[in-house]
Amino acid sequence: MSKQLDYMKPLSKNIVLFLLAIVILAALFSSFRMDADKPMQVGIQTLIQKIENGEVETIAVSGDEITMTLKDGSLAKTQKESGEPLSTLLTNYGVSPQTLQTVDIRVENESSRAYLLSILLPSLIPLILLILIFWFMIRQLQGANNRALSFGQSGAKEVAQKDKPQVTFLDVAGAREAKAELLEEVDFLKNPKKFVELGAKIPKGVLLMGAPGTGKTLLARAVAGEAGVPFFHMSGSEFVEMFVGVGASRVRDLFQKAKKQAPCIVFIDEIDAVGRQRGAGLGGSHDEREQTLNQILVEMDGFAPNNGVVVMAATNRPDVLDPALLRPGRFDRQVIIDMPDIRDREEILQIHAKGKPLEKEVELRRVAERTPGFSGADLMNLLNEAAIKAARENRKTIQQIDIFDSIEKVLLGPERKSHILSEKERQITAYHEAGHSLVAHHLPHADPVHKVSIVSRGRAAGYTLKLPLEDRRLQSRAQFLDDLAVMLGGYVTEKTIFNDITTGPSDDLKKVTALARQIVTRYGMSERFGPRTFGHQEEMIFLGKELHEKKDYSEKLAEQIDEEVDRFIRDAEKIATQIIQEQRSSLEKIVERLLEKETIEREEFEALFL
C-alpha cells in the first residue's frame, strides 16, 4: 500500500499543476474575450439620436441596462434611471410612437446568477489562484515534515518468507566448514524448542570473515533461504549520516522491526563501516559512528532481552573491529571463509557454468588448476569474460581457449594489440621472458611454467605464467630463494646478452627487494639473525588510512638488516646468472620460438628441453 501511495504522490502533484495551468489559461482567455466583445458605452442623447436616424435594429432592456444592436451589427450600451420604464424615457425625450414601431424592443428578466458572476468573477479568479498556491506550499511543507520524521528510520530491505531469496546451500560451492557452522544456525531458527529444553540459547550473532569475493553475502542469503524466516539486510554505511543521532535511531528502528518478525535474521554487510575500534576519532566532538556502534552493542546484548533475532554480519577487515563486538553474547560465532582450494574452485566453476554452452572439450578441472588464489567472484567473472569473448567472435559455444585467455585477462589485463614494439624492443622482451622461464624450469622449488608470451597485456610488455601444481598454505625458505632467482632471471638475461639494462626489470626488482626484506624481517629465515622478526606495521586512521612501520631495533641493527637483504639478492643473482650461462643454447631456442609464435604453452615449452 505504501508503494502505491508513493507512486500516486508525483501523479497527484502533476494533476494539480495541470489544473492550475488550465485555470490560469481560462482566466486569461475569458478576460481577452470579455474585452473584445464589450459593447460601446453611449449616453441617452446618443441613443435617442440613433433611434430617430433609424440606425437601431433592436433594443434589449435588462434592469437598468439598455443594450441596442445597430443595423451594422455593432453593440451600444447605456444606463437609465432605476424604476423608470423605457417608454417613459423615450416619450420624455420626444420620440414619436411611429419611430418606435421600426425598432424591436425586448424586455429581459435580469438573471441574478449572471449578475453575481459579473460582479464576483473578476475578484474570485485571483483569490482562487492564491488559495491553490497556498495549498500547494502547505503540501510541500507537510512532505518535508514527513521526511524529517522518517529520517531516523532504518532503510532495511525486508525479504518476507513468501518472497524469500531462492538461494540455498546447494547454490554455494566450497566453504564446507562455514556451511556446517551455519547449518546449526538454521537448525536453531527452525527448531528452537529442542535447544531451549536443554538450556541452550540461540547464538545472537554470526560474523562472516573472509577475503572479498569469497561468498559471505551469498552464505547469508542461503541461511535465510534454508531457515525460511524473514530476512532484513542493510549495509553498514547506511546507518551513518552527517546528523547527530541518526545512525543510533536507525539501529533502534531496525531492531524494533526485527523483534516484531522474530524469529528472523538481520544481515549487516560491511559492518566494519560502523564497527571499527572506538577511540580512533579526533576527540572533543560527537562521533556519530561510535554512537551507532554503541547502539548496536546495546541492541545485541543490553539490558533488554533480544530473543529470536539473529544478527549476521560480514567483513573482510576483522582486525579493525571493536573488541566489544567480538565478545560472547554479541557475535558468538565467527565463521572464517577461506579462499577456495582446487576442488572448491572446480565446484564453483560448475555452478557458474550452468546456462553457458560449453564445448565438450572444456575441462573445468584444468581451469581450476590454472586459477590458484581466485575467489568465487573471480571465477564467476572469468567465465563471464569467456562468454563475452565467444560472443564477440560470433560463436555459439565457449571453448577451452576462451577460458584460458580470460584467466590471463583477469590476472594481467586485456591484450594490447595496438601496442606495437619495435624489432629491438621485441627482441629484448623475448630474451627477458625467456630468462624468467629458463631459470624457473631449472630450479627444483620454483613453480612450473604454464605459458610464456611477448604479447603485451596491461602494463607488461610480456609475461611468464607460473602456477603451482597444488594449492599451498605454507611457503618454505627454499621456495622463497628460488622465487628470488626467477624474478631476477629477466634482469640477468638482459645484462648477459646485451651488456646493458633497460627499464623492463624495474617491477621485478621492486618485488625482489620486498620479498628479500620479508624473508629477513618477517619470516625469520635469515641464518645471521635467527628466529626473530623486526618491526611491525600499525594502521593509523587519522584523516584517512595510513600504514606505519614501528621500529623495535637500533640503527646499527637496521644497517645489518640492509646488508642481509642485499646478500639474499646477490646470491639469487648468482644462481640466475649461472643458469643463464650454462643453458645458453636452451635460452636461444626459447627466444627463437617466441619471436616466431609470440606465445608458448606448457607442453611446447617443455618439449624444447627434450
Side-chain angles (χ1 to χ4, degrees):
M1 186 65 181
S2 61
K3 291 184 178 180
Q4 293 180 352
L5 292 176
D6 292 340
Y7 175 76
M8 291 297 293
K9 283 181 181 178
L11 182 61
S12 61
K13 180 179 178 181
N14 292 334
I15 292 175
V16 170
L17 293 176
F18 180 69
L19 293 177
L20 184 61
I22 290 178
V23 170
I24 294 174
L25 290 175
L28 292 175
F29 183 72
S30 62
S31 63
F32 172 77
R33 289 294 304 273
M34 289 171 63
D35 292 339
D37 299 338
K38 187 176 180 180
M40 178 177 58
Q41 293 286 342
V42 297
I44 298 295
Q45 292 290 348
T46 305
L47 173 65
I48 299 301
Q49 183 180 1
K50 289 184 178 296
I51 292 174
E52 290 180 345
N53 294 336
E55 298 177 12
V56 179
E57 184 174 351
T58 61
I59 296 176
V61 181
S62 177
D64 296 333
E65 187 178 83
I66 301 173
T67 303
M68 58 181 175
T69 304
L70 304 180
K71 291 184 178 180
D72 61 0
S74 61
L75 298 175
K77 182 187 294 185
T78 187
Q79 295 288 125
K80 66 181 182 65
E81 296 181 8
S82 300
E84 183 181 16
L86 178 61
S87 58
T88 303
L89 175 65
L90 296 177
T91 301
N92 292 337
Y93 277 91
V95 179
S96 64
Q98 292 79 8
T99 304
L100 291 176
Q101 288 179 356
T102 61
V103 180
D104 182 14
I105 300 176
R106 297 193 302 270
V107 179
E108 299 176 351
N109 292 326
E110 185 178 10
S111 172
S112 59
R113 182 180 300 174
Y115 176 74
L116 289 175
L117 286 178
S118 63
I119 296 176
L120 297 178
L121 190 60
S123 58
L124 278 178
I125 290 177
L127 181 61
I128 292 172
L129 292 176
L130 289 175
I131 292 174
L132 288 173
I133 294 173
F134 184 73
W135 175 78
F136 180 73
M137 292 174 63
I138 291 295
R139 286 290 302 273
Q140 291 293 103
L141 291 175
Q142 287 178 347
N145 290 334
N146 292 335
R147 289 192 294 271
L149 291 175
S150 63
F151 199 68
Q153 296 179 2
S154 70
K157 280 72 71 175
E158 178 185 359
V159 181
Q161 183 175 355
K162 61 180 180 179
D163 301 323
K164 64 178 181 287
Q166 301 299 316
V167 177
T168 64
F169 285 132
L170 296 176
D171 301 308
V172 183
R176 293 173 181 80
E177 293 80 5
K179 287 194 289 187
E181 287 280 339
L182 295 175
L183 274 173
E184 291 187 10
E185 203 70 31
V186 172
D187 202 10
F188 275 126
L189 291 168
K190 280 186 172 181
N191 307 303
K193 185 177 179 181
K194 70 176 183 179
F195 296 98
V196 173
E197 289 176 349
L198 295 174
K201 294 183 179 179
I202 299 177
K204 296 181 179 179
V206 178
L207 181 62
L208 304 176
M209 300 181 294
T214 50
K216 299 182 292 294
T217 305
L218 184 64
L219 278 171
R221 293 177 59 195
V223 170
E226 292 281 350
V229 297
F231 179 72
F232 296 86
H233 58 100
M234 201 170 174
S235 172
S237 60
E238 295 181 50
F239 289 108
V240 181
E241 291 281 354
M242 64 179 292
F243 300 107
V244 173
V246 172
S249 175
R250 290 180 176 177
V251 172
R252 288 191 294 270
D253 183 68
L254 171 62
F255 277 88
Q256 285 176 2
K257 291 178 180 178
K259 289 174 184 177
K260 294 177 183 178
Q261 300 286 339
C264 66
I265 296 174
V266 173
F267 177 63
I268 304 175
D269 200 7
E270 303 295 345
I271 194 173
D272 51 275
V274 292
R276 285 178 174 263
Q277 187 168 356
R278 290 168 290 182
L282 301 179
S285 63
H286 185 96
D287 194 332
E288 171 66 10
R289 181 185 56 79
E290 288 192 6
Q291 299 304 318
T292 305
L293 174 58
N294 291 338
Q295 190 64 46
I296 292 176
L297 297 176
V298 171
E299 292 291 345
M300 290 188 68
D301 188 24
F303 190 78
N306 183 18
N307 297 323
V309 178
V310 175
V311 181
M312 297 185 67
T315 181
N316 50 33
R317 294 296 312 277
D319 54 306
V320 302
L321 294 181
D322 193 275
L325 269 177
L326 305 178
R327 75 158 176 83
R330 300 264 168 72
F331 283 105
D332 305 273
R333 300 202 169 187
Q334 299 171 22
V335 180
I336 299 176
I337 306 173
D338 293 322
M339 297 293 283
D341 57 21
I342 186 169
R343 183 175 59 173
D344 294 338
R345 292 197 297 273
E346 186 177 2
E347 293 177 0
I348 294 171
L349 287 168
Q350 289 173 355
I351 288 179
H352 291 305
K354 293 179 180 177
K356 292 182 173 64
L358 302 179
E359 288 278 357
K360 294 181 179 180
E361 64 178 12
V362 174
E363 298 179 25
L364 295 180
R365 178 71 181 187
R366 292 183 61 193
V367 178
E369 291 174 353
R370 283 201 175 200
T371 51
F374 274 49
S375 66
D378 293 329
L379 295 172
M380 179 181 68
N381 185 39
L382 167 66
L383 290 181
N384 185 60
E385 289 290 346
I388 292 174
K389 182 176 183 294
R392 191 167 56 242
E393 296 177 1
N394 297 319
R395 288 187 278 107
K396 299 297 183 181
T397 56
I398 301 173
Q399 300 175 358
Q400 187 88 50
I401 189 63
D402 297 329
I403 303 178
F404 284 165
D405 288 345
S406 298
I407 294 175
E408 296 164 23
K409 183 177 181 180
V410 172
L411 286 174
L412 303 169
E415 287 188 1
R416 298 170 60 193
K417 295 182 179 179
S418 60
H419 185 65
I420 301 175
L421 300 174
S422 65
E423 192 60 34
K424 180 66 174 178
E425 289 178 335
R426 192 165 176 266
Q427 186 182 25
I428 293 174
T429 302
Y431 273 104
H432 182 99
E433 300 304 331
H436 283 305
S437 60
L438 182 64
V439 175
H441 179 77
H442 282 86
L443 290 177
H445 302 288
D447 295 331
V449 176
H450 278 68
K451 188 174 185 178
V452 187
S453 176
I454 58 172
V455 177
S456 299
R457 278 189 179 271
R459 300 178 63 181
Y463 59 94
T464 300
L465 185 62
K466 302 188 294 85
L467 297 171
L469 295 176
E470 58 184 8
D471 293 317
R472 289 197 296 255
R473 295 288 187 268
L474 301 174
Q475 290 278 107
S476 67
R477 184 177 186 272
Q479 290 170 342
F480 279 139
L481 296 180
D482 284 0
D483 286 343
L484 290 175
V486 172
M487 291 178 189
L488 289 172
Y491 169 85
V492 169
T493 303
E494 288 188 25
K495 187 176 179 180
T496 302
I497 300 299
F498 301 101
N499 199 25
D500 195 6
I501 297 298
T502 67
T503 58
S506 59
D507 188 59
D508 296 331
L509 299 180
K510 181 179 178 181
K511 292 178 180 178
V512 163
T513 306
L515 179 56
R517 182 164 292 275
Q518 287 180 338
I519 291 173
V520 176
T521 62
R522 183 176 177 183
Y523 302 127
M525 294 179 177
S526 170
E527 296 176 353
R528 179 176 182 180
F529 296 113
R532 66 159 295 184
T533 61
F534 299 91
H536 63 275
Q537 288 185 341
E538 291 183 342
E539 182 176 346
M540 302 295 293
I541 306 174
F542 181 80
L543 301 180
K545 175 184 173 183
E546 293 183 3
L547 288 175
H548 296 275
E549 183 175 355
K550 185 176 180 180
K551 295 176 65 174
D552 54 2
Y553 49 90
S554 65
E555 292 298 327
K556 181 179 180 180
L557 204 55
E559 185 177 350
Q560 296 176 8
I561 291 173
D562 290 339
E563 292 175 356
E564 188 69 0
V565 170
D566 185 67
R567 185 182 68 82
F568 274 105
I569 296 175
R570 293 298 180 185
D571 289 347
E573 183 184 11
K574 291 177 183 177
I575 295 173
T577 303
Q578 181 180 357
I579 294 175
I580 296 299
Q581 291 176 349
E582 293 178 354
Q583 302 294 328
R584 182 69 178 267
S585 59
S586 298
L587 178 70
E588 296 296 340
K589 288 181 182 180
I590 299 172
V591 171
E592 183 181 356
R593 189 64 57 88
L594 280 174
L595 292 175
E596 177 186 353
K597 299 183 64 176
E598 291 189 336
T599 299
I600 306 175
E601 291 290 343
R602 178 180 179 181
E603 295 78 7
E604 187 178 1
F605 175 78
E606 292 180 350
L608 294 175
F609 298 92
L610 298 179

mmCIF file with all atom_site columns, all heavy atoms in Angstrom, residues 441-457:
data_model
loop_
_atom_site.group_PDB
_atom_site.id
_atom_site.type_symbol
_atom_site.label_atom_id
_atom_site.label_alt_id
_atom_site.label_comp_id
_atom_site.label_asym_id
_atom_site.label_entity_id
_atom_site.label_seq_id
_atom_site.pdbx_PDB_ins_code
_atom_site.Cartn_x
_atom_site.Cartn_y
_atom_site.Cartn_z
_atom_site.occupancy
_atom_site.B_iso_or_equiv
_atom_site.pdbx_formal_charge
_atom_site.auth_seq_id
_atom_site.auth_comp_id
_atom_site.auth_asym_id
_atom_site.auth_atom_id
_atom_site.pdbx_PDB_model_num
ATOM 1   N N   . HIS A 1 441 ? 62.418 -23.153 -14.880 1.00 0.00 ? 441 HIS A N   1
ATOM 2   C CA  . HIS A 1 441 ? 62.408 -24.557 -15.295 1.00 0.00 ? 441 HIS A CA  1
ATOM 3   C C   . HIS A 1 441 ? 63.509 -25.360 -14.611 1.00 0.00 ? 441 HIS A C   1
ATOM 4   O O   . HIS A 1 441 ? 63.321 -26.552 -14.313 1.00 0.00 ? 441 HIS A O   1
ATOM 5   C CB  . HIS A 1 441 ? 62.560 -24.637 -16.815 1.00 0.00 ? 441 HIS A CB  1
ATOM 6   C CG  . HIS A 1 441 ? 62.592 -26.041 -17.354 1.00 0.00 ? 441 HIS A CG  1
ATOM 7   N ND1 . HIS A 1 441 ? 61.450 -26.803 -17.495 1.00 0.00 ? 441 HIS A ND1 1
ATOM 8   C CD2 . HIS A 1 441 ? 63.637 -26.817 -17.773 1.00 0.00 ? 441 HIS A CD2 1
ATOM 9   C CE1 . HIS A 1 441 ? 61.783 -27.988 -17.967 1.00 0.00 ? 441 HIS A CE1 1
ATOM 10  N NE2 . HIS A 1 441 ? 63.107 -28.014 -18.146 1.00 0.00 ? 441 HIS A NE2 1
ATOM 11  N N   . HIS A 1 442 ? 64.666 -24.737 -14.331 1.00 0.00 ? 442 HIS A N   1
ATOM 12  C CA  . HIS A 1 442 ? 65.813 -25.491 -13.818 1.00 0.00 ? 442 HIS A CA  1
ATOM 13  C C   . HIS A 1 442 ? 65.926 -25.455 -12.286 1.00 0.00 ? 442 HIS A C   1
ATOM 14  O O   . HIS A 1 442 ? 66.794 -26.127 -11.736 1.00 0.00 ? 442 HIS A O   1
ATOM 15  C CB  . HIS A 1 442 ? 67.113 -24.946 -14.430 1.00 0.00 ? 442 HIS A CB  1
ATOM 16  C CG  . HIS A 1 442 ? 67.337 -25.414 -15.840 1.00 0.00 ? 442 HIS A CG  1
ATOM 17  N ND1 . HIS A 1 442 ? 66.794 -24.766 -16.923 1.00 0.00 ? 442 HIS A ND1 1
ATOM 18  C CD2 . HIS A 1 442 ? 68.019 -26.485 -16.338 1.00 0.00 ? 442 HIS A CD2 1
ATOM 19  C CE1 . HIS A 1 442 ? 67.141 -25.397 -18.031 1.00 0.00 ? 442 HIS A CE1 1
ATOM 20  N NE2 . HIS A 1 442 ? 67.891 -26.447 -17.700 1.00 0.00 ? 442 HIS A NE2 1
ATOM 21  N N   . LEU A 1 443 ? 65.093 -24.666 -11.605 1.00 0.00 ? 443 LEU A N   1
ATOM 22  C CA  . LEU A 1 443 ? 65.140 -24.644 -10.141 1.00 0.00 ? 443 LEU A CA  1
ATOM 23  C C   . LEU A 1 443 ? 64.102 -25.615 -9.578  1.00 0.00 ? 443 LEU A C   1
ATOM 24  O O   . LEU A 1 443 ? 62.935 -25.577 -9.990  1.00 0.00 ? 443 LEU A O   1
ATOM 25  C CB  . LEU A 1 443 ? 64.889 -23.222 -9.623  1.00 0.00 ? 443 LEU A CB  1
ATOM 26  C CG  . LEU A 1 443 ? 66.017 -22.228 -9.892  1.00 0.00 ? 443 LEU A CG  1
ATOM 27  C CD1 . LEU A 1 443 ? 65.643 -20.847 -9.404  1.00 0.00 ? 443 LEU A CD1 1
ATOM 28  C CD2 . LEU A 1 443 ? 67.331 -22.694 -9.244  1.00 0.00 ? 443 LEU A CD2 1
ATOM 29  N N   . PRO A 1 444 ? 64.482 -26.474 -8.657  1.00 0.00 ? 444 PRO A N   1
ATOM 30  C CA  . PRO A 1 444 ? 63.573 -27.544 -8.208  1.00 0.00 ? 444 PRO A CA  1
ATOM 31  C C   . PRO A 1 444 ? 62.368 -27.060 -7.409  1.00 0.00 ? 444 PRO A C   1
ATOM 32  O O   . PRO A 1 444 ? 61.325 -27.711 -7.407  1.00 0.00 ? 444 PRO A O   1
ATOM 33  C CB  . PRO A 1 444 ? 64.483 -28.424 -7.341  1.00 0.00 ? 444 PRO A CB  1
ATOM 34  C CG  . PRO A 1 444 ? 65.575 -27.512 -6.884  1.00 0.00 ? 444 PRO A CG  1
ATOM 35  C CD  . PRO A 1 444 ? 65.800 -26.551 -8.008  1.00 0.00 ? 444 PRO A CD  1
ATOM 36  N N   . HIS A 1 445 ? 62.490 -25.924 -6.735  1.00 0.00 ? 445 HIS A N   1
ATOM 37  C CA  . HIS A 1 445 ? 61.400 -25.466 -5.871  1.00 0.00 ? 445 HIS A CA  1
ATOM 38  C C   . HIS A 1 445 ? 60.574 -24.335 -6.487  1.00 0.00 ? 445 HIS A C   1
ATOM 39  O O   . HIS A 1 445 ? 59.709 -23.772 -5.813  1.00 0.00 ? 445 HIS A O   1
ATOM 40  C CB  . HIS A 1 445 ? 61.963 -24.991 -4.523  1.00 0.00 ? 445 HIS A CB  1
ATOM 41  C CG  . HIS A 1 445 ? 62.732 -26.056 -3.800  1.00 0.00 ? 445 HIS A CG  1
ATOM 42  N ND1 . HIS A 1 445 ? 62.142 -27.143 -3.207  1.00 0.00 ? 445 HIS A ND1 1
ATOM 43  C CD2 . HIS A 1 445 ? 64.080 -26.205 -3.606  1.00 0.00 ? 445 HIS A CD2 1
ATOM 44  C CE1 . HIS A 1 445 ? 63.067 -27.914 -2.651  1.00 0.00 ? 445 HIS A CE1 1
ATOM 45  N NE2 . HIS A 1 445 ? 64.255 -27.364 -2.884  1.00 0.00 ? 445 HIS A NE2 1
ATOM 46  N N   . ALA A 1 446 ? 60.841 -24.013 -7.734  1.00 0.00 ? 446 ALA A N   1
ATOM 47  C CA  . ALA A 1 446 ? 60.066 -22.976 -8.416  1.00 0.00 ? 446 ALA A CA  1
ATOM 48  C C   . ALA A 1 446 ? 58.807 -23.588 -9.035  1.00 0.00 ? 446 ALA A C   1
ATOM 49  O O   . ALA A 1 446 ? 58.770 -24.775 -9.377  1.00 0.00 ? 446 ALA A O   1
ATOM 50  C CB  . ALA A 1 446 ? 60.916 -22.309 -9.499  1.00 0.00 ? 446 ALA A CB  1
ATOM 51  N N   . ASP A 1 447 ? 57.773 -22.781 -9.196  1.00 0.00 ? 447 ASP A N   1
ATOM 52  C CA  . ASP A 1 447 ? 56.529 -23.254 -9.808  1.00 0.00 ? 447 ASP A CA  1
ATOM 53  C C   . ASP A 1 447 ? 56.745 -23.526 -11.293 1.00 0.00 ? 447 ASP A C   1
ATOM 54  O O   . ASP A 1 447 ? 57.518 -22.827 -11.959 1.00 0.00 ? 447 ASP A O   1
ATOM 55  C CB  . ASP A 1 447 ? 55.420 -22.208 -9.644  1.00 0.00 ? 447 ASP A CB  1
ATOM 56  C CG  . ASP A 1 447 ? 55.041 -22.006 -8.185  1.00 0.00 ? 447 ASP A CG  1
ATOM 57  O OD1 . ASP A 1 447 ? 55.185 -22.964 -7.412  1.00 0.00 ? 447 ASP A OD1 1
ATOM 58  O OD2 . ASP A 1 447 ? 54.608 -20.888 -7.827  1.00 0.00 ? 447 ASP A OD2 1
ATOM 59  N N   . PRO A 1 448 ? 56.057 -24.543 -11.840 1.00 0.00 ? 448 PRO A N   1
ATOM 60  C CA  . PRO A 1 448 ? 56.213 -24.851 -13.269 1.00 0.00 ? 448 PRO A CA  1
ATOM 61  C C   . PRO A 1 448 ? 55.704 -23.723 -14.167 1.00 0.00 ? 448 PRO A C   1
ATOM 62  O O   . PRO A 1 448 ? 54.766 -23.000 -13.817 1.00 0.00 ? 448 PRO A O   1
ATOM 63  C CB  . PRO A 1 448 ? 55.362 -26.119 -13.453 1.00 0.00 ? 448 PRO A CB  1
ATOM 64  C CG  . PRO A 1 448 ? 55.018 -26.597 -12.100 1.00 0.00 ? 448 PRO A CG  1
ATOM 65  C CD  . PRO A 1 448 ? 55.164 -25.473 -11.151 1.00 0.00 ? 448 PRO A CD  1
ATOM 66  N N   . VAL A 1 449 ? 56.335 -23.625 -15.325 1.00 0.00 ? 449 VAL A N   1
ATOM 67  C CA  . VAL A 1 449 ? 55.936 -22.611 -16.302 1.00 0.00 ? 449 VAL A CA  1
ATOM 68  C C   . VAL A 1 449 ? 54.770 -23.139 -17.118 1.00 0.00 ? 449 VAL A C   1
ATOM 69  O O   . VAL A 1 449 ? 54.849 -24.218 -17.710 1.00 0.00 ? 449 VAL A O   1
ATOM 70  C CB  . VAL A 1 449 ? 57.125 -22.259 -17.219 1.00 0.00 ? 449 VAL A CB  1
ATOM 71  C CG1 . VAL A 1 449 ? 56.688 -21.270 -18.301 1.00 0.00 ? 449 VAL A CG1 1
ATOM 72  C CG2 . VAL A 1 449 ? 58.272 -21.687 -16.401 1.00 0.00 ? 449 VAL A CG2 1
ATOM 73  N N   . HIS A 1 450 ? 53.662 -22.392 -17.148 1.00 0.00 ? 450 HIS A N   1
ATOM 74  C CA  . HIS A 1 450 ? 52.494 -22.784 -17.934 1.00 0.00 ? 450 HIS A CA  1
ATOM 75  C C   . HIS A 1 450 ? 52.412 -22.057 -19.273 1.00 0.00 ? 450 HIS A C   1
ATOM 76  O O   . HIS A 1 450 ? 51.843 -22.583 -20.226 1.00 0.00 ? 450 HIS A O   1
ATOM 77  C CB  . HIS A 1 450 ? 51.204 -22.534 -17.148 1.00 0.00 ? 450 HIS A CB  1
ATOM 78  C CG  . HIS A 1 450 ? 50.876 -23.614 -16.178 1.00 0.00 ? 450 HIS A CG  1
ATOM 79  N ND1 . HIS A 1 450 ? 51.623 -23.862 -15.056 1.00 0.00 ? 450 HIS A ND1 1
ATOM 80  C CD2 . HIS A 1 450 ? 49.865 -24.525 -16.169 1.00 0.00 ? 450 HIS A CD2 1
ATOM 81  C CE1 . HIS A 1 450 ? 51.093 -24.874 -14.385 1.00 0.00 ? 450 HIS A CE1 1
ATOM 82  N NE2 . HIS A 1 450 ? 50.031 -25.295 -15.035 1.00 0.00 ? 450 HIS A NE2 1
ATOM 83  N N   . LYS A 1 451 ? 52.992 -20.860 -19.319 1.00 0.00 ? 451 LYS A N   1
ATOM 84  C CA  . LYS A 1 451 ? 52.885 -20.103 -20.559 1.00 0.00 ? 451 LYS A CA  1
ATOM 85  C C   . LYS A 1 451 ? 53.919 -18.989 -20.559 1.00 0.00 ? 451 LYS A C   1
ATOM 86  O O   . LYS A 1 451 ? 54.201 -18.375 -19.521 1.00 0.00 ? 451 LYS A O   1
ATOM 87  C CB  . LYS A 1 451 ? 51.477 -19.503 -20.702 1.00 0.00 ? 451 LYS A CB  1
ATOM 88  C CG  . LYS A 1 451 ? 51.193 -18.855 -22.044 1.00 0.00 ? 451 LYS A CG  1
ATOM 89  C CD  . LYS A 1 451 ? 49.739 -18.431 -22.133 1.00 0.00 ? 451 LYS A CD  1
ATOM 90  C CE  . LYS A 1 451 ? 49.379 -17.885 -23.488 1.00 0.00 ? 451 LYS A CE  1
ATOM 91  N NZ  . LYS A 1 451 ? 47.944 -17.523 -23.587 1.00 0.00 ? 451 LYS A NZ  1
ATOM 92  N N   . VAL A 1 452 ? 54.498 -18.740 -21.740 1.00 0.00 ? 452 VAL A N   1
ATOM 93  C CA  . VAL A 1 452 ? 55.427 -17.623 -21.935 1.00 0.00 ? 452 VAL A CA  1
ATOM 94  C C   . VAL A 1 452 ? 54.931 -16.846 -23.143 1.00 0.00 ? 452 VAL A C   1
ATOM 95  O O   . VAL A 1 452 ? 54.593 -17.435 -24.177 1.00 0.00 ? 452 VAL A O   1
ATOM 96  C CB  . VAL A 1 452 ? 56.874 -18.102 -22.170 1.00 0.00 ? 452 VAL A CB  1
ATOM 97  C CG1 . VAL A 1 452 ? 57.824 -16.911 -22.183 1.00 0.00 ? 452 VAL A CG1 1
ATOM 98  C CG2 . VAL A 1 452 ? 57.296 -19.103 -21.121 1.00 0.00 ? 452 VAL A CG2 1
ATOM 99  N N   . SER A 1 453 ? 54.878 -15.519 -23.026 1.00 0.00 ? 453 SER A N   1
ATOM 100 C CA  . SER A 1 453 ? 54.339 -14.727 -24.125 1.00 0.00 ? 453 SER A CA  1
ATOM 101 C C   . SER A 1 453 ? 55.032 -13.370 -24.170 1.00 0.00 ? 453 SER A C   1
ATOM 102 O O   . SER A 1 453 ? 55.475 -12.835 -23.146 1.00 0.00 ? 453 SER A O   1
ATOM 103 C CB  . SER A 1 453 ? 52.831 -14.523 -23.945 1.00 0.00 ? 453 SER A CB  1
ATOM 104 O OG  . SER A 1 453 ? 52.316 -13.677 -24.946 1.00 0.00 ? 453 SER A OG  1
ATOM 105 N N   . ILE A 1 454 ? 55.164 -12.839 -25.382 1.00 0.00 ? 454 ILE A N   1
ATOM 106 C CA  . ILE A 1 454 ? 55.670 -11.480 -25.562 1.00 0.00 ? 454 ILE A CA  1
ATOM 107 C C   . ILE A 1 454 ? 54.563 -10.573 -26.110 1.00 0.00 ? 454 ILE A C   1
ATOM 108 O O   . ILE A 1 454 ? 54.842 -9.499  -26.640 1.00 0.00 ? 454 ILE A O   1
ATOM 109 C CB  . ILE A 1 454 ? 56.905 -11.456 -26.490 1.00 0.00 ? 454 ILE A CB  1
ATOM 110 C CG1 . ILE A 1 454 ? 56.568 -12.054 -27.858 1.00 0.00 ? 454 ILE A CG1 1
ATOM 111 C CG2 . ILE A 1 454 ? 58.075 -12.169 -25.858 1.00 0.00 ? 454 ILE A CG2 1
ATOM 112 C CD1 . ILE A 1 454 ? 57.688 -11.883 -28.874 1.00 0.00 ? 454 ILE A CD1 1
ATOM 113 N N   . VAL A 1 455 ? 53.311 -11.015 -25.946 1.00 0.00 ? 455 VAL A N   1
ATOM 114 C CA  . VAL A 1 455 ? 52.155 -10.183 -26.300 1.00 0.00 ? 455 VAL A CA  1
ATOM 115 C C   . VAL A 1 455 ? 51.860 -9.269  -25.111 1.00 0.00 ? 455 VAL A C   1
ATOM 116 O O   . VAL A 1 455 ? 51.726 -9.732  -23.976 1.00 0.00 ? 455 VAL A O   1
ATOM 117 C CB  . VAL A 1 455 ? 50.928 -11.040 -26.634 1.00 0.00 ? 455 VAL A CB  1
ATOM 118 C CG1 . VAL A 1 455 ? 49.716 -10.155 -26.930 1.00 0.00 ? 455 VAL A CG1 1
ATOM 119 C CG2 . VAL A 1 455 ? 51.234 -11.951 -27.814 1.00 0.00 ? 455 VAL A CG2 1
ATOM 120 N N   . SER A 1 456 ? 51.758 -7.979  -25.347 1.00 0.00 ? 456 SER A N   1
ATOM 121 C CA  . SER A 1 456 ? 51.545 -7.024  -24.261 1.00 0.00 ? 456 SER A CA  1
ATOM 122 C C   . SER A 1 456 ? 50.165 -7.221  -23.635 1.00 0.00 ? 456 SER A C   1
ATOM 123 O O   . SER A 1 456 ? 49.161 -7.365  -24.337 1.00 0.00 ? 456 SER A O   1
ATOM 124 C CB  . SER A 1 456 ? 51.673 -5.595  -24.789 1.00 0.00 ? 456 SER A CB  1
ATOM 125 O OG  . SER A 1 456 ? 52.963 -5.373  -25.306 1.00 0.00 ? 456 SER A OG  1
ATOM 126 N N   . ARG A 1 457 ? 50.144 -7.227  -22.319 1.00 0.00 ? 457 ARG A N   1
ATOM 127 C CA  . ARG A 1 457 ? 48.887 -7.275  -21.552 1.00 0.00 ? 457 ARG A CA  1
ATOM 128 C C   . ARG A 1 457 ? 49.004 -6.274  -20.417 1.00 0.00 ? 457 ARG A C   1
ATOM 129 O O   . ARG A 1 457 ? 49.983 -6.287  -19.679 1.00 0.00 ? 457 ARG A O   1
ATOM 130 C CB  . ARG A 1 457 ? 48.625 -8.663  -20.990 1.00 0.00 ? 457 ARG A CB  1
ATOM 131 C CG  . ARG A 1 457 ? 48.011 -9.631  -21.974 1.00 0.00 ? 457 ARG A CG  1
ATOM 132 C CD  . ARG A 1 457 ? 47.572 -10.915 -21.288 1.00 0.00 ? 457 ARG A CD  1
ATOM 133 N NE  . ARG A 1 457 ? 46.963 -11.846 -22.217 1.00 0.00 ? 457 ARG A NE  1
ATOM 134 C CZ  . ARG A 1 457 ? 45.678 -11.871 -22.512 1.00 0.00 ? 457 ARG A CZ  1
ATOM 135 N NH1 . ARG A 1 457 ? 44.869 -11.002 -21.953 1.00 0.00 ? 457 ARG A NH1 1
ATOM 136 N NH2 . ARG A 1 457 ? 45.193 -12.757 -23.365 1.00 0.00 ? 457 ARG A NH2 1
#
